[in-house]
Amino acid sequence: MAGRAVLLIPHRSENPDEAALPADYRQILAIARAADGPVQVRTVGEELGLEVAVRGKLEPLRTKMTKRADRGWLHKRPDGRFTARR
């Protein structure tokens, strides 16, 4: 964007607009919301069809989920699992 940084994952506000998120991030959020409780990265990876047996395939997903937690879309628990903010 002409030398300017673009924030792909906006910070969550009072009236969150999920449409502002890229499609893969909306998919992660939907999986976390549909779960009965906190989800592990491995569980989300399985839902997305990733090779969960290969640890290197889950690390990019873990990074995406952590970024979403940093921006307020998800909550990262001390045990490393994630929940959706309501």
Side-chain angles (χ1 to χ4, degrees):
M1 294 277 163
R4 295 188 331 190
V6 176
L7 188 63
L8 289 178
I9 310 163
H11 292 278
R12 189 170 187 263
S13 61
E14 291 289 324
N15 298 315
D17 182 16
E18 291 180 24
L21 295 172
D24 55 338
Y25 287 93
R26 287 193 306 267
Q27 211 172 9
I28 293 168
L29 186 59
I31 293 168
R33 282 203 177 125
D36 292 333
V39 292
Q40 295 179 331
V41 174
R42 176 178 296 275
T43 305
V44 175
E46 288 171 349
E47 291 282 329
L48 293 174
L50 299 177
E51 276 186 68
V52 296
V54 180
R55 184 179 173 99
K57 300 287 183 177
L58 291 178
E59 289 308 312
L61 177 59
R62 184 181 318 280
T63 301
K64 286 181 179 183
M65 292 178 74
T66 300
K67 283 181 184 178
R68 297 195 54 195
D70 291 345
R71 303 238 168 83
W73 292 94
L74 291 174
H75 172 70
K76 185 174 182 181
R77 296 168 39 112
D79 62 2
R81 295 185 296 169
F82 293 84
T83 58
R85 296 204 185 253
R86 306 221 184 253

